Amino acid sequence: MSLVSGPGRGGTHNQDALPDQLKLAVDQHVRYIRNLDTRKDELQYWLTEHLRLNGVYWGLTALHLLGHPEGLPRDATIKFVLDCHNIDGGFGAAPGHDSHMLYTVSAVQILATVDALPELESSKYGGKAKVADFIANLQDRESGTFAGDEWGEQDTRFLYCAFNALSILNMMDRIDVDKAVAYVKACENFDGSYGRIPGAESHSGQVFTCVGALAIARRLDLVSQDRLAAWLSERQLPNGGLNGRPEKLEDVCYSWWVLTGLSIIGKLHWIDKSKLSNFILRCQDTEHGGMSDRPGNMVDVFHTCFGVAGLSLLGYPGLRKVNPMYCMPDDVVQKLPYWHK
Amino acid sequence: MPPTSTSTTTLLPPEAKPPKSKSQPYYSVHPSWQDVVPIAQVDQAGALAAIAYSPRYSEAMSYLRSVMADTEVSERALALTEDLISMNPAHYTVWIYRMRVLRGMWTGAKAAKVDEADEKQEAGDEAGEIDEALWQNIQRELKWLDEVSFRNLKNYQIWHHRHALVDLLPSTPDTTAFTASTPSQSTETTTSDRHKKASTAAPLTEATKTRLLKLVASEQTFLAQILSLDTKNYHVWSYRQWLCMRFPSFLLPSYTSETPSSVAGTYRSHPEVAAIDAMILDDLRNNSAWSHRYFILFGHHELTYSNIHGVILKNVNEERLLHKAGLVDMPLIEAEIEYTKQEIRKAPMNGSSWNYLRGLLSHSALDISTTRDFCEEFLGPEKDLWMDQYVDVESEDSETGEKQTERQQIGVRSSHAVEWLSEIYAAEGTEEGRRRAKECLRSLGEKWDIIRMGYWDFLGEKMEEEWKQKDA
């Protein structure tokens, strides 16, 4: 899965469309994603090797939401994921890469999406118990938060990843959920939003990880819902797009990070949904496929995934329903033992 | 597969540096690397493709895999990481390995295990001194890192590397206030828990203090340069905030939770405050600058209180705990309120400055009604809530009798002001107040901020509910 940008550009081939004429170019996006894995002749393919497993997750999720799960071959995908499995139980970005929380959660999400979680048990490095071991060992038992690996820094992103993966595996009891929840609570600022550590600048990405984690832990009571929703609604700019922090530019990926927060706390109607929908549609290259961060820029699989997910959350017709906590097909999430109680 | 050398291969001269070309081999034909067997990429088909496109990069990666497998600590391993970083600075593992090599080389720990390196570090800490060699090493690496940072503004790993580097320096006695091991406060973690021992560390020697001051000053200079190129980079601001917490006595205007006297008189000339003043002067819409301003003047006090009393940050603010404890620097608050109002007048729609003002009120427990006159500055004539910002005013030239129109800015100039006034008027508790409050919300939903109609409707309903209950 290539993480190169382009060749398409957002906003091309549909600049003259009237707002209500804008449509989602499903076939072109499917073709764009399928072609990504064939671009091994570009240097960027290799320079982004350290993101490869994330790339597969973004591409696969977009295909599933677009209604084309067959777009990536299931067996090859499963094999690639298992090839990324390491002896410590975690997953690396690509075969031979060191394990990290970010790739471990992608691995688990991919397997769940293609209904292949039992395949984990066939890995020579152990099954889900080993994966859970890897994740549990990354929790700082004192503060409650998580590191990405044994060397790196702590961040609520990794806390969210741990909750995401372990709930999918139905092994949340392996970690101290209460301590982690307390840490998330400590990251809330006076404006109701969240920063990456206590006292840090409020940021939409952190809202996704913090609120997502609390939602998975079934602790949404800890969110200052009205104040947070007000802050999130202020992310919408006159052009309909959403930004990540006050006075910054719009970016299609915030259609996801901001939208999930509003969706989870039931305040989607505090923004103008049709304006946002039109903004996302204007970020497509309707001929070459793919979406960019904003009209005029090069497309990539990351923004394609979150643009499509945002449209699904907005109820765009024909898309499979997405789950706001996981950014995975909702029907897959609902079948998980953790939610199917 | 990069060729292993044979006796017939011509080796490069020992002083040869990695070439800029993407296709020329280097490690496989360099005399200092002949003993290493490179490890190829696991995925065979992919390996071939990679080599076809960029033999240099895939060659370097195969040598990296080999030295990492042996956890080699050496100058040549260091040079290899530098080479890879120049080709692919986003490759996380290379940075981690570079730090391991550095730590190993600097502390003589053969196996480059960070724990061993940390033990040697702690010995230095307890003497309240910085080892001369370590100081020079850190300076050298920082200088190299500065250059890499300028070339890779959007890279995150660079800032984690810098953090890990600077964190090798001794703790100052007040560092414990911010990195103590209480649940709500654990932030960036080094792989050691040196800071937990800081309270038992010897006080700093004068020589050490001088050095730390010098480092902090040069960090501020570097940060100013980097931020001038990428003013809102979240990683850079995160690093800056961490630096303030790591060396509070050098970087914060008032770093204790007791405020024996106000800093209001002199604080604007404090280097960190002056740095933020400059950034806001350059771009008053820089949300990160405003956020950092709040942190250095007020936020860190809240964090300290939160730490000491085991109360989470949000509650410190919501329950006005600093105000109740008599720990708010009111002259400072007042000075900052004046400053912020001045900035708001320059750009009345700037959300960042209005958020900051909200933070000041929250921190000091001042009521929002104290800003009523200020908010009303942004309404139309006679506090009109509907007039357009610009009005074409017709006049007649007194000499020629010619009719002219002139655009004048006299209407509502800030939707934030209108939002605040809805809250202020509602709190007055009078019929007129309630009527005005509702009119504010209506003007927002119908004219000034239509995109957020759902929110204004919600506030209106909430108000009605509260009044119904009050009146009952």
Side-chain angles (χ1 to χ4, degrees), chain B residues 89-311:
Chain B
H91 200 310
Y92 167 82
T93 311
V94 180
W95 284 98
I96 299 297
Y97 186 62
R98 183 179 176 89
M99 184 50 81
R100 287 164 73 180
V101 170
L102 288 171
R103 298 293 296 280
M105 282 171 62
W106 294 350
T107 58
K110 289 273 173 203
K113 280 189 78 70
V114 179
D115 291 339
E116 284 181 29
D118 278 338
E119 276 164 27
K120 293 191 185 227
Q121 210 76 59
E122 276 162 22
D125 264 9
E126 272 151 28
E129 283 175 1
I130 307 172
D131 175 72
E132 177 66 31
L134 176 66
W135 173 254
Q136 297 301 339
N137 286 328
I138 290 176
Q139 292 295 302
R140 197 174 49 241
E141 181 71 359
L142 276 176
K143 198 150 173 274
W144 173 83
L145 192 61
D146 287 357
E147 285 312 310
V148 179
S149 308
F150 283 116
R151 288 197 298 270
N152 296 285
L153 289 174
K154 288 303 178 190
N155 180 293
Y156 159 69
Q157 284 79 8
I158 282 171
W159 294 94
H160 183 247
H161 189 76
R162 195 176 195 96
H163 167 118
L165 206 59
V166 172
D167 207 25
L168 294 174
L169 295 166
S171 312
T172 57
D174 48 25
T175 307
T176 41
F178 298 95
T179 56
S181 53
T182 52
S184 66
Q185 195 42 52
S186 203
T187 60
E188 301 274 333
T189 271
T190 59
T191 45
S192 83
D193 54 0
R194 280 205 324 281
H195 301 307
K196 294 168 194 168
K197 295 182 183 160
S199 54
T200 58
L204 299 174
T205 61
E206 278 310 310
T208 303
K209 266 192 213 162
T210 308
R211 281 200 154 149
L212 290 180
L213 263 165
K214 183 163 173 268
L215 175 106
V216 158
S218 74
E219 283 303 281
Q220 283 177 306
T221 305
F222 170 69
L223 286 167
Q225 291 167 343
I226 275 281
L227 284 171
S228 72
L229 300 171
D230 191 8
T231 59
K232 302 181 187 183
N233 187 314
Y234 198 79
H235 306 304
V236 181
W237 285 104
S238 291
Y239 172 76
R240 189 169 200 145
Q241 183 176 1
W242 172 79
L243 199 67
C244 289
M245 291 195 283
R246 186 65 168 71
F247 302 108
S249 51
F250 299 138
L251 281 166
L252 296 174
S254 67
Y255 60 93
T256 60
S257 63
E258 328 302 320
T259 47
S261 61
S262 173
V263 297
T266 56
Y267 77 108
R268 295 292 289 275
S269 57
H270 187 283
E272 191 67 3
V273 180
I276 297 303
D277 273 355
M279 294 221 62
I280 290 176
L281 194 66
D282 185 60
D283 176 10
L284 46 62
R285 292 182 176 82
N286 188 331
N287 195 64
S288 304
W290 284 101
S291 181
H292 192 71
R293 191 183 187 95
Y294 186 82
F295 176 72
I296 61 179
L297 294 175
F298 309 105
H300 78 93
H301 286 306
E302 292 167 6
L303 270 177
T304 309
Y305 189 95
S306 155
N307 227 15
I308 291 171
H309 298 272
V311 182

